[in-house]
Amino acid sequence: MIPELHLPWMELSILITLLGALWVRTIHDRDKAYRSCLLICGLVFLTSICEWIDFESLHAFEARDHFNIFKLLFNKNIFIVDELSAPLLPLAALLYLLTVLSTLKTKGHRFSFSSTLLSESILLATLSSRELWVIISLLSVATILPYLEIRANKRSTRVYVLHMGLFITLLVVGGVLSSFGEAGDLISLIAGAFLTTAALLRSGIIPLHCWMTDLFEKATFGTALLFVAPMTGAYAVVRLVFPIAPDWALQGIALVSLTTAVYAACMTLVQREARRFFCYLFLSHSSLVLVGLEMATPLGLTGGLCVWISVGISLAGFALTFRSIEARIGRISLVEYHGLYDHTPTLAALFLVTGLASIGFPGTVGFIGTELLIEGAIEVYPLVGTAVVIAAALNSIAILQAYFRVFTGARHTSSISLRARPSEHVAILILVALILGGGLYPQPGVTSRNHAAIELIHLRETIFRKSEIDSKISEIDLPESTQPLIGLRQDLR
Amino acid sequence: MNTDAVFHFLGVCVVVSPALLLALFGVTSLMNRPIGERLMAQATQTMVMIGLFASIAVLGLMLSLDIRYVPIELGNWVVIPEQHFHFHLKFIFDRLSIPFCILSFVLCGTIGAFASRYLHREPGYNRFFVCYAIFLLGMIVSSLAGTIETLFFGWELVGLSSALLVAFFHERLNPVRNGMRVWSIYRIADAAFLIAALMLHHLTGAGDFDGLMGTGSWPDGHATISEQHALFVGLLLLIAAAGKSALVPFSGWLPRAMEGPTPSSAVFYGSLSVHLGAYLLLRVSPILELSLTLRLAVISLGLISAIFGTLIGRVQTDIKSALAFASLTQVGIIVVEIGCGLRYIALIHIIGHACLRTLQLLRAPSLLQDYHTLENAIGSHLSQKRPLWVRFMPKRYRIMLYRFELERGYLDILINLLIVRPFMSLFRLCDRLERRWTNFLSGGESRESDLIKPHAETLEEYL
């Protein structure tokens, strides 16, 4: 019996954003739409925080909503929160809140508030679900909104459509096949391969990463950031692939992720434009998360989950700083030195803090996560740990290079003040507080991620043990009916 | 109050005082509410004094009680019991760390007082002191670190502050480029250090120096890992030390670092951070003892760096660069001493050299003025004796040597040619291939942003 939260926090969050999206769509005044969107995002953030606190108070691995409507309608728990997703929901809500908060009013006509709220509801629903088909459907639906925006901007959608089309196809085929397979058999292996490829494609693994740079090129920075920063690709890997993939497959994924991490880190050093630079930086970090997740050892997995949170916070702050600068001087060329420090010293400091946090600089939220990740990697393969260190070193060089290019090296003359607006300042300061707070007092975060890691590994071991027992039984007696993989997962819950 | 409690209190004071200084400067700067110059100077003075007197008190107590090793346990920062992972916060006061800690406080205190006047009304005054606080904390944490992870923590702080201070005059291009160079080399060194630290952790099961270096306090410890492991880990640590102490082939960053303001050049690159690599080698000296090959590598690197430093220093046309290479010569000799097992001599050499070099660098601008006054007074240049070997060397070789010295041993050019350029070319090629691929998929130009120039701001945009 799954324990119940005291209120239906997850359904409430999703409902608020859905209704909010409809309400904001009817508002034509840009300022009012901004304020309304901010209010809704704030409310959702509060409910997600309440959900997290409520969940923590239960001391359980998983919990479901109280007064569960879906349970009444379909006799199924669609929305379940567990130790993995509990902090991801407030993180996602915070990301949306801060993105909206740091949106300048002048950008209102390009950045759609109602679409943002709609995408938030889809994301929250994705992160609240463990059902295969619900995740597949929501991941597929989430790809539509950026497509509509690129099309509205009158830019070519072909790169995005080709990749996302392939992503959806792979997801659906993998989902269908997994319904017929048993854990450990050939069909489930093929299903796992389809699902893995889909999840890796969504995470931007090389050579299937070009959609991501294209998205950052053609959509607004806010939309692109909100599409990639919550790392739903990694979520799909943990939910759909991790429980069924054999060890050798996980190690293969880790190797591909590691290659992407190093390749993307190298590519950051040759980028000429800030968005592409950020995209590669993000790609490198999100691949490092995948490396940790695929280690399948408690330490490596804990490291991966810690880096997931730290990268989510720090790179979101980093991107918001970039976005704030872009709002002032347009697309940022990294070929020239802009010398903006004198105009925006606070943004410069925040840029540096968030950037350094992403590479796991001491005293920031990423430090312990990166240490754990490297230690976990070295436990399995020393060379993998070395590659992770190299990727981190290259990323750190790229970050300081970007800092110098944007803020130093020249005298920027401007007739007007370019200083950070209070709303931007508040948005990034909240993230900096989280970065430094989490960095100086990391124990609760690490403990929570470690619990989640151990539970995930237990779940995986249970599935494989059960599959071994089933195969031994089948050697004696022919099975009367096959046990579908999805059903097996449900039983295990 | 028993002795342990007194030691604990004083030890905490030593570590916390620079941390508080950084918290004060950092938080006010991030909140965009920087404090005034006088308050900054006073806060710096107070915190440095607290730290210095506390460390002197620890030394006094240790001498009076005849204790040679005082660990200060601050507990586990992070612990995962099931996986036997712990990040232990432990600081040690021993015969190596105390002199280095007191040296750091004395020199940083001197420079803090000097800089508060030297940089008076300079636009970057606040920024300088933020970096200064990061550096001071990094130096103290590195000096007193009782675990290799804690040493890495301090090491990184020193690296960041150094790079930012080199680029202090950041409206000009050269300091920024030099800051970037320093950072790049530091990061290579940091990567080597981190890998070595994790390997050591893996081999010994603990990050504590007690566990790594076996029984006995410094310098009497005996490491317990095998010779091969010692060689592998030791070489990684040697790369880390070479990067931090600007040994060959990483020496290119040292004269570049002199682009920063004089106080930071004096204390950071001239005396303290340049010795941090040597300090690391001293700290892990029991590992060096295990492998003769490793010791020979250390001696060779030190010797090459010393000879290189003295040759290049002779042709420098500005006083800070000449002093930088003179520092390199001394650091090279210190490394040779460490390789030869002369640990106390190396430690005394570090202290003497750091103090002398700081004073020389601080005196440098006024020295030049005095020099010119003297030349004006006598009406000609001061005579310079050519060294004996120059008189016997054929002209052709002298010119070759001069070129070699003037180009700083072609080291920067070689690094650019052999590492940076091929690396950048390869990934620029990848970038072009990606562009072609996305162009092909898009059926047209897919990267218009490359052509977009930053637009000039219009007032309406921000109203």
Side-chain angles (χ1 to χ4, degrees):
Chain A
M1 181 69 183
I2 300 172
E4 276 189 355
L5 299 171
H6 294 93
L7 277 173
W9 298 115
M10 286 176 281
E11 285 172 13
L12 213 55
S13 306
I14 296 159
L15 202 66
I16 291 170
T17 43
L18 271 177
L19 293 177
L22 291 174
W23 178 42
V24 170
R25 196 160 186 82
T26 61
I27 302 171
H28 297 293
D29 181 356
R30 210 193 300 165
D31 288 353
K32 206 177 160 192
Y34 168 78
R35 283 196 300 273
S36 311
C37 187
L38 199 60
L39 177 76
I40 293 159
C41 287
L43 261 176
V44 173
F45 177 60
L46 272 179
T47 52
S48 61
I49 285 282
C50 290
E51 164 268 322
W52 192 15
I53 294 169
D54 195 350
F55 174 75
E56 287 295 323
S57 70
L58 294 176
H59 301 289
F61 172 66
E62 57 189 5
R64 63 184 174 88
D65 269 348
H66 194 47
F67 315 125
N68 195 330
I69 302 164
F70 285 94
K71 177 82 177 168
L72 293 173
L73 289 175
F74 306 110
N75 196 28
K76 223 172 194 183
N77 287 312
I78 301 287
F79 297 126
I80 294 177
V81 67
D82 61 10
E83 281 199 285
L84 172 74
S85 57
L88 294 180
L89 288 165
L91 179 66
L94 179 70
L95 194 61
Y96 273 82
L97 172 65
L98 297 182
T99 307
V100 173
L101 187 63
S102 64
T103 302
L104 289 183
K105 288 173 190 171
T106 51
K107 297 286 170 192
H109 61 287
R110 271 172 271 178
F111 184 73
S112 167
F113 292 118
S114 62
S115 297
T116 304
L117 287 173
L118 191 59
S119 73
E120 184 176 6
S121 69
I122 295 169
L123 175 67
L124 291 175
T126 312
L127 296 176
S128 303
S129 177
R130 302 195 314 191
E131 284 294 320
L132 181 87
W133 280 107
V134 177
I135 293 176
I136 289 176
S137 314
L138 290 169
L139 284 174
S140 307
V141 171
T143 59
I144 297 169
L145 294 171
Y147 163 76
L148 292 176
E149 189 179 297
I150 299 172
R151 211 178 62 165
N153 290 345
K154 297 188 173 60
R155 312 290 294 272
S156 166
T157 55
R158 284 165 68 178
V159 175
Y160 183 78
V161 168
L162 281 169
H163 282 89
M164 288 303 119
L166 182 63
F167 165 64
I168 295 168
T169 312
L170 289 167
L171 270 185
V172 173
V173 173
V176 170
L177 284 176
S178 69
S179 311
F180 296 110
E182 280 181 76
D185 72 0
L186 185 65
I187 297 176
S188 82
L189 212 61
I190 296 169
F194 276 109
L195 291 172
T196 305
T197 316
L200 291 181
L201 196 158
R202 181 66 177 77
S203 302
I205 225 81
I206 59 160
L208 302 170
H209 64 288
C210 287
W211 68 268
M212 217 187 245
T213 50
D214 194 70
L215 178 71
F216 273 89
E217 174 78 31
K218 289 168 181 166
T220 58
F221 204 163
T223 304
L225 173 71
L226 293 174
F227 190 63
V228 301
M231 286 188 252
T232 41
Y235 187 77
V237 167
V238 176
R239 291 290 185 224
L240 310 180
V241 179
F242 187 79
I244 58 166
D247 284 348
W248 58 267
L250 288 184
Q251 281 161 8
I253 300 170
L255 203 65
V256 177
S257 309
L258 191 67
T259 314
T260 305
V262 177
Y263 174 80
C266 295
M267 288 296 278
T268 53
L269 289 166
V270 298
Q271 292 313 306
R272 300 162 61 88
E273 195 266 325
R275 283 197 194 183
R276 279 183 76 82
F277 162 79
F278 173 77
C279 182
Y280 280 109
L281 192 68
F282 183 83
L283 210 52
S284 179
H285 283 93
S286 58
S287 305
L288 286 181
V289 174
L290 287 180
V291 172
L293 296 184
E294 306 311 332
M295 283 295 145
T297 59
L299 213 54
L301 194 52
T302 307
L305 295 179
C306 286
V307 173
W308 189 340
I309 302 284
S310 73
V311 165
I313 296 172
S314 53
L315 279 186
F318 190 71
L320 291 182
T321 321
F322 252 141
R323 188 166 171 253
S324 300
I325 296 157
E326 205 182 74
R328 284 157 176 76
I329 62 166
R331 286 291 183 97
I332 308 162
S333 160
L334 292 180
V335 181
E336 302 154 38
Y337 287 87
H338 297 283
L340 287 171
Y341 184 91
D342 290 336
H343 297 278
T344 58
T346 323
L347 281 182
L350 298 175
F351 185 94
L352 205 55
V353 171
T354 50
L356 291 172
S358 71
I359 52 147
F361 197 77
T364 63
V365 72
F367 181 56
I368 295 295
T370 311
E371 285 262 323
L372 278 166
L373 180 63
I374 296 168
E375 184 128 348
I378 278 186
E379 237 181 20
V380 183
Y381 289 120
L383 278 178
V384 173
T386 309
V388 174
V389 173
I390 289 168
L394 291 169
N395 282 331
S396 63
I397 293 172
I399 282 168
L400 207 71
Q401 181 174 298
Y403 170 79
F404 282 143
R405 288 280 158 92
V406 175
F407 292 103
T408 67
R411 267 186 204 284
H412 186 87
T413 46
S414 171
S415 55
I416 52 163
S417 166
L418 298 178
R419 71 182 192 283
R421 293 272 177 270
S423 57
E424 293 171 304
H425 206 159
V426 167
I428 303 168
L429 269 180
I430 290 171
L431 285 171
V432 169
L434 287 173
I435 286 167
L436 297 180
L440 296 173
Y441 186 51
Q443 185 64 55
V446 171
T447 308
S448 139
R449 297 302 76 203
N450 184 242
H451 284 165
I454 288 171
E455 288 296 338
L456 285 170
I457 288 169
H458 279 169
L459 181 68
R460 184 178 144 74
E461 280 171 356
T462 318
I463 288 176
F464 275 89
R465 210 176 299 132
K466 189 167 170 54
S467 122
E468 274 172 23
I469 294 165
D470 285 350
S471 65
K472 276 178 190 165
I473 292 168
S474 69
E475 282 170 15
I476 304 161
D477 298 316
L478 283 171
E480 287 175 4
S481 63
T482 53
Q483 171 72 58
L485 195 65
I486 304 304
L488 176 67
R489 254 188 241 143
Q490 282 163 352
D491 292 347
L492 288 165
R493 280 173 214 151
Chain B
M1 213 176 190
N2 61 17
T3 320
D4 284 347
V6 173
F7 272 128
H8 191 85
F9 173 74
L10 292 171
V12 168
C13 280
V14 174
V15 180
V16 165
S17 57
L20 281 178
L21 191 67
L22 176 59
L24 175 68
F25 293 172
V27 169
T28 50
S29 301
L30 275 176
M31 302 292 288
N32 207 14
R33 298 277 184 274
I35 52 177
E37 283 191 10
R38 184 174 292 181
L39 191 57
M40 281 193 117
Q42 281 171 352
T44 307
Q45 197 178 358
T46 311
M47 291 306 171
V48 170
M49 283 300 180
I50 291 171
L52 177 63
F53 286 128
S55 45
I56 290 173
V58 172
L59 177 65
L61 269 175
M62 285 171 73
L63 289 174
S64 62
L65 297 171
D66 197 23
I67 299 172
R68 290 182 168 188
Y69 177 80
V70 176
I72 304 292
E73 299 273 359
L74 297 182
N76 283 318
W77 192 23
V78 175
V79 62
I80 309 176
E82 299 90 347
Q83 273 73 58
H84 310 291
F85 177 90
H86 60 270
F87 195 110
H88 197 188
L89 276 181
K90 183 183 172 186
F91 297 96
I92 48 173
F93 288 84
D94 61 7
R95 276 170 287 179
L96 176 62
S97 64
I98 287 195
F100 216 76
C101 175
I102 292 175
L103 179 76
S104 301
F105 274 124
V106 167
L107 294 184
C108 284
T110 310
I111 293 301
F114 181 83
S116 63
R117 288 158 183 82
Y118 188 86
L119 294 171
H120 176 53
R121 291 193 179 170
E122 182 79 33
Y125 186 95
N126 179 69
R127 190 157 40 89
F128 177 87
F129 274 93
V130 172
C131 293
Y132 170 93
I134 298 174
F135 181 85
L136 179 62
L137 179 64
M139 278 308 297
I140 298 304
V141 170
S142 304
S143 311
L144 299 174
T147 67
I148 201 149
E149 291 92 352
T150 318
L151 179 53
F152 181 72
F153 190 112
W155 183 272
E156 291 254 48
L157 292 179
V158 169
L160 176 70
S161 56
S162 297
L164 291 178
L165 279 167
V166 172
F168 179 78
F169 298 112
H170 60 200
E171 64 286 350
R172 288 192 284 121
L173 210 55
N174 260 352
V176 171
R177 283 185 176 156
N178 290 335
M180 195 59 225
R181 188 84 177 194
V182 172
W183 177 249
S184 305
I185 289 173
Y186 271 4
R187 292 310 295 176
I188 294 166
D190 292 349
F193 187 167
L194 187 57
I195 295 167
L198 289 164
M199 287 293 174
L200 273 176
H201 208 281
H202 204 59
L203 292 171
T204 59
D208 289 21
F209 284 122
D210 300 351
L212 298 176
M213 305 307 161
T215 50
S217 61
W218 191 89
D220 306 319
H222 295 285
T224 50
I225 54 176
S226 71
E227 192 183 332
Q228 281 82 8
H229 286 144
L231 179 62
F232 178 67
V233 172
L235 285 176
L236 282 171
L237 290 171
L238 187 59
I239 294 172
K244 211 65 162 184
S245 285
L247 302 177
V248 173
F250 301 115
S251 50
W253 72 258
L254 193 56
R256 289 170 186 269
M258 298 300 155
E259 193 83 54
T262 297
S264 68
S265 305
V267 75
F268 303 154
Y269 325 112
S271 55
L272 283 178
S273 70
V274 82
H275 289 123
L276 208 52
Y279 175 83
L280 173 70
L281 292 178
L282 273 177
R283 179 55 81 194
V284 300
S285 49
I287 291 179
L288 306 184
E289 294 246 312
L290 292 177
S291 165
L292 180 65
T293 320
L294 181 60
R295 278 213 306 278
L296 287 175
V298 172
I299 293 169
S300 312
L301 194 67
L303 211 55
I304 292 168
S305 301
I307 295 167
F308 183 81
T310 191
L311 282 177
I312 310 296
R314 277 159 209 276
V315 301
Q316 295 306 307
T317 48
D318 68 292
I319 192 162
K320 279 168 86 176
S321 295
L323 288 173
F325 281 107
S327 281
L328 177 60
T329 307
Q330 295 303 317
V331 175
I333 297 169
I334 291 167
V335 171
V336 172
E337 288 160 3
I338 296 168
C340 293
L342 306 168
R343 295 172 198 172
Y344 281 119
I345 291 187
L347 183 59
I348 293 163
H349 196 160
I350 287 176
I351 295 166
H353 175 239
C355 293
L356 177 79
R357 199 63 73 197
T358 303
L359 294 176
Q360 271 188 336
L361 276 159
L362 290 183
R363 171 87 172 96
S366 53
L367 177 87
L368 279 182
Q369 203 175 2
D370 292 351
Y371 194 80
H372 291 144
T373 311
L374 197 64
E375 285 191 335
N376 285 339
I378 61 171
S380 67
H381 288 298
L382 292 168
S383 64
Q384 284 182 331
K385 263 190 180 175
R386 293 160 79 189
L388 195 64
W389 62 273
V390 170
R391 280 183 248 166
F392 293 110
M393 193 182 239
K395 194 179 176 186
R396 187 167 157 243
Y397 291 113
R398 262 193 287 148
I399 291 171
M400 273 175 66
L401 184 65
Y402 180 71
R403 269 189 177 171
F404 176 82
E405 291 169 349
L406 204 62
E407 291 291 343
R408 292 169 182 171
Y410 303 105
L411 278 182
D412 281 0
I413 298 168
L414 277 174
I415 289 174
N416 280 347
L417 208 66
L418 297 177
I419 301 168
V420 181
R421 204 172 290 173
F423 176 88
M424 297 299 270
S425 302
L426 175 66
F427 287 98
R428 280 191 185 124
L429 174 70
C430 293
D431 199 42
R432 283 198 296 276
L433 290 176
E434 282 194 14
R435 186 193 193 110
R436 279 190 198 167
W437 173 240
T438 45
N439 282 355
F440 168 72
L441 290 180
S442 298
E445 183 55 51
S446 63
R447 259 198 242 175
E448 292 94 331
S449 64
D450 279 357
L451 310 170
I452 296 170
K453 289 280 170 198
H455 64 74
E457 310 80 32
T458 55
L459 196 56
E460 298 79 47
E461 277 282 295
Y462 299 102
L463 288 177

